[in-house]
Amino acid sequence: MNASPEPAGSRLRRPPPRRQPMFHRIFRADPATVRAALLFLRERFDGSAGDEVIAKLELALAEVLNNICEHGTRYEALRLDGRAHAPLIHLCVARHVGGIACAVTDDGRPLPPSCLAAHGLPWTAPPPRDAEAILLLPEGGFGWFLIQDLTASLSYFREGRRNFLAFIVPVTEPLLQNAPAAGTT
Amino acid sequence: MQLTLLLQPDGLTIRVDEKRLDAAIATAFKDRVRGLIARGGPHVTLDLGGVEFMDSSGLGAVIAIYKAMPPGRQLTLTGLTPNVERVFQLTRMHTVLTIRKTGDAPEPPGDPDPGQKRPEE
């Protein structure tokens, strides 16, 4: 391990060390399996970037995966046991220079193109404590706004029966040198 | 799901003893808290100090609880951890909801005057 200080530029150009975290999991869309996947993801990626970056990664993925659970099920396609077909999700996450790259695919219903259009907040700020305005506050519709806010290079295509969604959660710090939690200022 | 109910002279505090306020528990959380609020007291405090992660389902549940507060009663959120606070800030909900920072004195009881609202950063 070479601990001598050097300019960040040369460090970034160097091939990444061998032990950057990555993660791959296949699971049936369900809030409980999503929670388990995110817990495992956090365990694996903690220390590979700043705490705030890992938190944003977790939140962005939670929103993407929740959407698949909520909207992906094809009720017209029953499985052999008579249950509706909850999508089968493939999740792949890898730490790269400049960001944490995520690929999510699923065999659920196609993603409506409107989800990828630029999303603002589903509300505009009312005067605080205006009782009528409070009753109009949305209780949902934040998901794609958050995904677009937290990620970069968001791209989507559909091939055959699968949705493919890919994005990056940007990281500004250089890759860490085999020492999680060290130097993550 | 774990919630702790602490009764006080002028209201009640509901402490959320869950590390994750996510889609797996959001609906049950909303229903349970609304049931507890019905037990009375003008001031209701929702203590989120134990929550390390909240997604938009959890946010939606908190908003639903806020909207369903009976007339004349007030909901205050406390103990926001950084990850929870980020969700309120990204969605601008921190501008509407009443959030008390840890260490702040409680607002004077019985004074829901908008002019008393503590500015949030």
Side-chain angles (χ1 to χ4, degrees):
Chain A
M1 193 163 34
N2 181 5
S4 67
E6 54 184 323
S10 71
R11 243 174 114 184
L12 283 174
R13 280 195 297 275
R14 222 163 45 199
R18 275 171 296 163
R19 295 186 58 204
Q20 296 302 325
M22 63 177 296
F23 171 79
H24 180 234
R25 182 175 279 214
I26 301 173
F27 54 98
R28 196 63 70 183
D30 176 89
T33 56
V34 166
R35 180 188 268 205
L38 292 175
L39 284 170
F40 192 90
L41 177 95
R42 176 167 268 287
E43 209 169 280
R44 177 153 297 176
F45 280 78
D46 261 347
S48 66
D51 289 347
E52 191 178 335
V53 173
I54 303 299
K56 288 180 175 178
L57 168 73
E58 185 177 16
L59 181 57
L61 278 172
E63 299 301 333
V64 168
L65 298 172
N66 286 346
N67 280 335
I68 297 171
C69 294
E70 200 175 338
H71 305 294
T73 298
R74 286 189 284 123
Y75 292 97
E76 73 283 5
L78 294 183
R79 288 161 59 180
L80 288 178
D81 58 8
R83 283 183 297 164
H85 178 95
L88 191 65
I89 298 172
H90 291 227
L91 170 63
C92 192
V93 186
R95 172 75 158 95
H96 288 290
V97 175
I100 298 176
C102 303
V104 186
T105 86
D106 71 271
D107 61 350
R109 286 162 53 201
L111 183 70
S114 59
C115 293
L116 293 154
H119 261 65
L121 279 171
W123 68 297
T124 48
R129 307 210 182 169
D130 174 333
E132 284 183 29
I134 283 166
L135 285 178
L136 294 175
L137 288 176
E139 294 168 31
F142 299 105
W144 282 101
F145 167 77
L146 288 171
I147 294 164
Q148 293 184 3
D149 190 274
L150 296 165
T151 68
S153 306
L154 185 65
S155 61
Y156 168 79
F157 62 94
R158 176 134 181 131
E159 190 175 277
R161 289 168 171 239
R162 296 195 78 80
N163 295 308
F164 292 78
L165 186 74
F167 55 86
I168 287 172
V169 176
V171 182
T172 49
E173 313 103 305
L175 291 169
L176 300 173
Q177 305 296 308
N178 294 335
T184 54
T185 48
Chain B
M1 186 185 25
Q2 290 298 313
L3 301 173
T4 303
L5 179 65
L6 306 161
L7 293 167
Q8 284 134 2
D10 65 337
L12 49 92
T13 292
I14 299 164
R15 196 181 68 210
V16 183
D17 300 319
E18 292 283 338
K19 289 187 175 177
R20 301 178 75 82
L21 197 44
D22 61 9
I25 64 164
T27 304
F29 167 76
K30 179 175 68 182
D31 294 343
R32 282 276 306 283
V33 170
R34 281 160 78 161
L36 292 175
I37 286 172
R39 297 198 187 185
H43 290 270
V44 178
T45 303
L46 191 61
D47 182 352
L48 297 172
V51 180
E52 295 169 0
F53 175 81
M54 182 178 79
D55 61 17
S56 67
S57 322
L59 173 73
V62 173
I63 295 168
I65 292 163
Y66 186 72
K67 286 166 70 172
M69 288 296 288
R73 298 182 60 197
Q74 192 183 320
L75 179 72
T76 302
L77 309 176
T78 63
L80 271 54
T81 60
N83 292 343
V84 172
E85 188 169 26
R86 180 178 302 112
V87 177
F88 284 114
Q89 290 194 345
L90 286 174
T91 59
R92 308 292 301 158
M93 280 294 162
H94 69 297
T95 61
V96 189
L97 304 174
T98 308
I99 297 171
R100 196 167 70 228
K101 299 225 168 198
T102 312
D104 282 2
E107 289 187 36
D111 183 11
D113 176 3
Q116 293 291 319
K117 185 171 160 63
R118 192 176 296 276
E120 297 295 333
E121 286 168 19

